[in-house]
Amino acid sequence: MSYAIEITDLKKNYGNNEVLKGVNFCVDRGEIFGILGVNGAGKTTILECIEGFRKYHFGDIKISGSIGIQLQSSALPAYMKVSEAIELFSRWKQTKMNHSLLIALGIIDLQKKLYIELSAGQKRRLHLALALIGNPDILFLDEPTTELDVEGRISLHKEIRRLNKFGTTIILSSHDMAEVESLCTRIAILNNGTISFIGTTDELASKVNKKYSIKIVSELGEKEYSAVNIADTLLNILNEYKQKNINILDIKINRGTLEQHFINLSKKGV
């Protein structure tokens, strides 16, 4: 199967600072691929190199398909109308805006408004709409829900899933671990200029050997257990309490958040 994106031994320096030290990964067609890393890890640099905004010093980037880009920080002229922005980008891409997309993103009723009059959430949705003109095969989203309220985040997540359902490959860079865990098919963790992990969130959990936390509340109080195999561990715990004739009042099972696994992986430096 051909990939949507193939990155081979990508290196990038800022002066004497080597930000990317030979990054390798591939993105399958039709997946939502997340790029994670602490501040300054090089997430935006990788995206900008792939998008063509930034030159890199060594390596190879292959892209299969047309692309749309929503930058981490975007702005339009303050007194440009929404309709004018749509017309400008449509002419530049030599196509027409999909009317149903404007409805789905809640842009249809904003077209007479000036850019300066839009809320942060409305601006984010407009930028996404502009990135989607021409129905690109691959969509780049750099911190897409920054400054959005809860309602705006839910709305944007819904649209991301809808786009992916219809075949759009999505590359997502985010600081929001819950967002990445909810949306992404696979993730790559950038650590000290290289990819330290690539795989699903479940595979990340298994890698740090802390997939499940089991909290037993009994008549004697609370006790917490760690487990990789939830079924076997829980069965053994229940048998132990039964043999000791201890009444169990509550059982809480926590898979552990992506953020916890990410922090553990970063500490190990693997």
Side-chain angles (χ1 to χ4, degrees):
M1 182 187 72
S2 61
Y3 295 105
I5 297 174
E6 294 181 69
I7 309 296
T8 306
D9 203 20
L10 185 65
K11 296 180 181 179
K12 169 66 181 176
N13 299 338
Y14 293 116
N16 295 325
N17 183 21
E18 191 177 19
V19 178
L20 304 179
K21 303 176 182 178
V23 172
N24 297 276
F25 65 86
C26 296
V27 179
D28 295 331
R29 294 178 185 272
E31 75 171 328
I32 303 179
F33 188 87
I35 300 177
L36 287 172
V38 298
N39 289 333
K43 302 186 299 300
T44 296
T45 297
I46 287 180
L47 292 186
E48 290 179 346
C49 287
I50 299 172
E51 294 159 351
F53 290 127
R54 194 172 296 278
K55 292 183 178 180
Y56 50 94
H57 295 98
F58 188 83
D60 188 42
I61 298 175
K62 294 180 181 179
I63 301 175
S64 179
S66 59
I67 67 172
I69 303 167
Q70 184 185 31
L71 299 173
Q72 181 177 358
S73 179
S74 303
L76 294 169
Y79 295 98
M80 174 180 278
K81 290 182 180 179
V82 170
S83 61
E84 293 172 336
I86 294 171
E87 179 69 17
L88 175 64
F89 277 73
S90 296
R91 289 192 178 188
W92 176 53
K93 294 187 177 181
Q94 299 181 337
T95 187
K96 292 184 177 181
M97 168 63 80
N98 186 330
H99 188 76
S100 61
L101 179 63
L102 294 179
I103 295 175
L105 288 174
I107 305 296
I108 198 73
D109 296 327
L110 302 177
Q111 295 188 72
K112 293 183 180 180
K113 281 196 170 187
L114 300 175
Y115 184 75
I116 195 173
E117 297 174 331
L118 302 180
S119 67
Q122 290 170 337
K123 288 177 180 178
R124 279 289 179 182
R125 293 200 298 274
L126 173 60
H127 294 156
L128 179 58
L130 298 177
L132 288 169
I133 292 177
N135 298 317
D137 302 304
I138 305 168
L139 178 63
F140 292 90
L141 301 175
D142 194 353
E143 303 289 348
T145 55
T146 300
E147 298 181 357
L148 292 188
D149 56 21
V150 174
E151 184 178 352
R153 289 162 61 87
I154 292 173
S155 176
L156 190 54
H157 286 182
K158 181 179 179 180
E159 183 58 26
I160 290 172
R161 292 189 182 96
R162 189 190 72 83
L163 290 167
N164 182 246
K165 181 180 179 180
F166 285 97
T168 305
T169 302
I170 298 172
I171 316 300
L172 171 69
S173 173
S174 176
H175 286 95
D176 189 330
M177 302 293 178
E179 177 172 76
V180 171
E181 188 166 19
S182 170
L183 292 174
C184 293
T185 312
R186 289 189 303 143
I187 59 172
I189 295 178
L190 190 63
N191 196 351
N192 194 30
T194 60
I195 299 294
S196 59
F197 171 83
I198 186 167
T200 66
T201 55
D202 283 342
E203 288 169 343
L204 173 58
S206 297
K207 186 177 180 68
V208 295
N209 294 322
K210 195 178 180 182
K211 188 171 183 180
Y212 295 101
S213 170
I214 304 172
K215 182 177 290 186
I216 303 293
V217 181
S218 73
E219 56 190 2
L220 300 180
E222 291 187 5
K223 191 170 182 179
E224 191 167 349
Y225 303 82
S226 294
V228 174
N229 187 318
I230 183 67
D232 290 344
T233 304
L234 184 57
L235 183 59
N236 290 334
I237 292 172
L238 294 177
N239 285 333
E240 178 185 347
Y241 276 72
K242 184 177 181 179
Q243 290 174 3
K244 294 181 179 179
N245 200 28
I246 301 173
N247 291 326
I248 295 177
L249 306 177
D250 193 14
I251 299 175
K252 298 177 182 179
I253 300 175
N254 180 11
R255 188 171 60 87
T257 65
L258 181 60
E259 184 171 14
Q260 290 170 339
H261 302 316
F262 171 67
I263 291 171
N264 290 339
L265 187 64
S266 298
K267 287 179 179 179
K268 289 184 177 182
V270 294

